[in-house]
């Protein structure tokens, strides 16, 4: 799924600490994307003016789309029927636009729910009502008590344990809405996934600026903007996408034309104005499937268009069936 991929999250901290300086650097010629994109799929919905149903599959199923791709048509329809029963919350035999929209949002956020649940159990094995900062700090940063202070403060290519601790402390305080220095599971979710939580988004903007603003003047220059995405080899021509990004910076990112992006311009860049992708996809699926034009879908209408919703192919699907007991 195309969701926040390049904003540092504390969920990765234990892994980062264990292999921090041994992590292979990303290909300097690959584009880094910091935009918090709420698209429902990595796929293009329309390719060369042709409708791409794989977009709909990923929007409707989330991570389960790959599993359905391995099913026979018969099994795909059967599982889709079970899903329709879940979507139809009021059990009236029809799926409305709102019910379909709610389901699409649920599938898109399920990976976050699963991650929060896993992290909560790891950091709070006794499943107490909240997790204190001191408990979290001891579990994640306790190893630093035995570190040499110079090693703790040492910075290499923007990384240091001290900076990570400082960032986590600041983010924790923002997530802690009741000010008791302990997080409930809901607050902990905001701490782990600030990009998904309204009151946490300013911290994502701040962390992004700290990452890119190398001269610490509180704004991002064109050179800093490009350097965050691309580090080329001297003498080699820039790829076309880098040239395009330079134009994007000048024409769209730097709205006041002063040669820099300030905090508000960075926010407009990485958190684009809201477009409700789930609403649009729900309307699209109803438009494509609503045979009797009553603006809602019966189970029969959905199953008749199973290839739009979930897809399938006649392959060996025994392993997939074994992995998904809920079906």
């Amino acid at each position: 799924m195309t969701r926040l991929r390049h904003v540092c999250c504390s969920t990765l901290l234990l892994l980062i600490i264990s292999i921090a300086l041994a992590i292979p650097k990303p290909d300097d010629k690959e584009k880094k994307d910091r935009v918090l994109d709420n698209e429902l799929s990595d796929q293009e919905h329309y390719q060369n003016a042709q409708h791409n149903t794989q977009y709909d599959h990923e929007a409707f199923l989330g991570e389960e789309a790959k599993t359905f791709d391995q099913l026979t048509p018969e099994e795909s329809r059967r599982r889709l029927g079970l899903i329709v029963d879940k979507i139809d919350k009021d059990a009236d035999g029809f799926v409305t636009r709102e019910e379909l929209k709610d389901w699409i949002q649920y599938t898109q956020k399920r990976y976050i729910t699963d991650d929060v649940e896993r992290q909560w159990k790891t950091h709070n094995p006794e499943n107490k009502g909240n997790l204190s900062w001191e408990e979290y700090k001891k579990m994640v940063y306790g190893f630093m008590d035995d570190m040499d202070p110079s090693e703790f403060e040492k910075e290499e290519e923007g990384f240091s344990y001290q900076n990570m601790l400082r960032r986590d402390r600041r983010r924790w305080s923002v997530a802690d809405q009741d000010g008791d220095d302990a997080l409930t599971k809901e607050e902990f979710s905001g701490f782990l996934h600030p990009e998904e939580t309204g009151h946490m988004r300013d911290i994502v903007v701040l962390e992004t600026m700290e990452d890119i603003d190398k001269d610490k003047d509180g704004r991002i220059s064109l050179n800093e903007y490009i350097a965050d995405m691309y580090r080329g080899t001297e003498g080699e021509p820039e790829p076309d996408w880098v040239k395009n990004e330079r134009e994007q910076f000048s024409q769209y990112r730097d709205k006041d034309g002063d040669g820099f992006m300030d905090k508000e311009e960075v926010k407009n860049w990485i958190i684009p104005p809201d477009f409700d992708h789930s609403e649009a996809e729900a309307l699209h699926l109803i438009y494509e499937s609503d045979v009797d034009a009553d603006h809602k879908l019966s189970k029969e209408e959905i199953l008749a268009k199973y290839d739009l919703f979930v897809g399938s192919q006649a392959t060996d699907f025994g392993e997939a069936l074994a992995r998904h007991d809920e079906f």
Side-chain angles (χ1 to χ4, degrees), residues 129-219:
N130 54 34
L131 175 67
S132 73
W133 166 251
E134 287 303 321
E135 289 171 320
Y136 177 82
K137 179 183 174 184
K138 182 176 181 181
M139 181 172 290
V140 176
Y141 292 100
F143 75 96
M144 292 184 183
D145 294 340
D146 300 322
M147 276 181 83
D148 184 277
S150 62
E151 194 67 26
F152 175 64
E153 298 171 6
K154 182 180 178 181
E155 185 168 323
E156 184 168 329
E157 295 192 7
F159 170 86
S160 78
Y161 297 125
Q162 185 178 47
N163 284 339
M164 293 183 73
L165 175 58
R166 177 183 57 81
R167 273 197 177 194
D168 261 8
R169 186 64 177 108
R170 182 179 61 195
R171 188 188 284 192
W172 186 280
S173 297
V174 176
D176 178 25
Q177 291 193 284
D178 58 10
D180 63 355
D181 211 26
L183 302 187
T184 62
K185 186 187 286 189
E186 183 178 354
E187 290 172 332
F188 191 59
S189 178
F191 172 73
L192 294 176
H193 296 280
E195 74 282 357
E196 299 290 340
T197 309
H199 74 278
M200 297 292 296
R201 289 194 163 190
D202 281 346
I203 204 74
V204 177
V205 175
L206 179 58
E207 290 175 1
T208 301
M209 290 197 70
E210 288 175 344
D211 287 343
I212 304 176
D213 178 22
K214 298 303 182 184
D215 62 8
K216 306 304 177 189
D217 65 350
R219 54 189 186 171

Side-chain angles (χ1 to χ4, degrees), residues 44 49 51 67 91 124 139 224 233 250 254 258-259 262 290 295 309 316:
E44 293 291 335
H51 181 218
T67 298
N124 184 18
M139 181 172 290
E224 288 170 330
T233 304
S250 301
D254 175 22
D258 67 349
D262 59 23
D290 185 17
H295 307 294
F309 285 84
D316 177 13

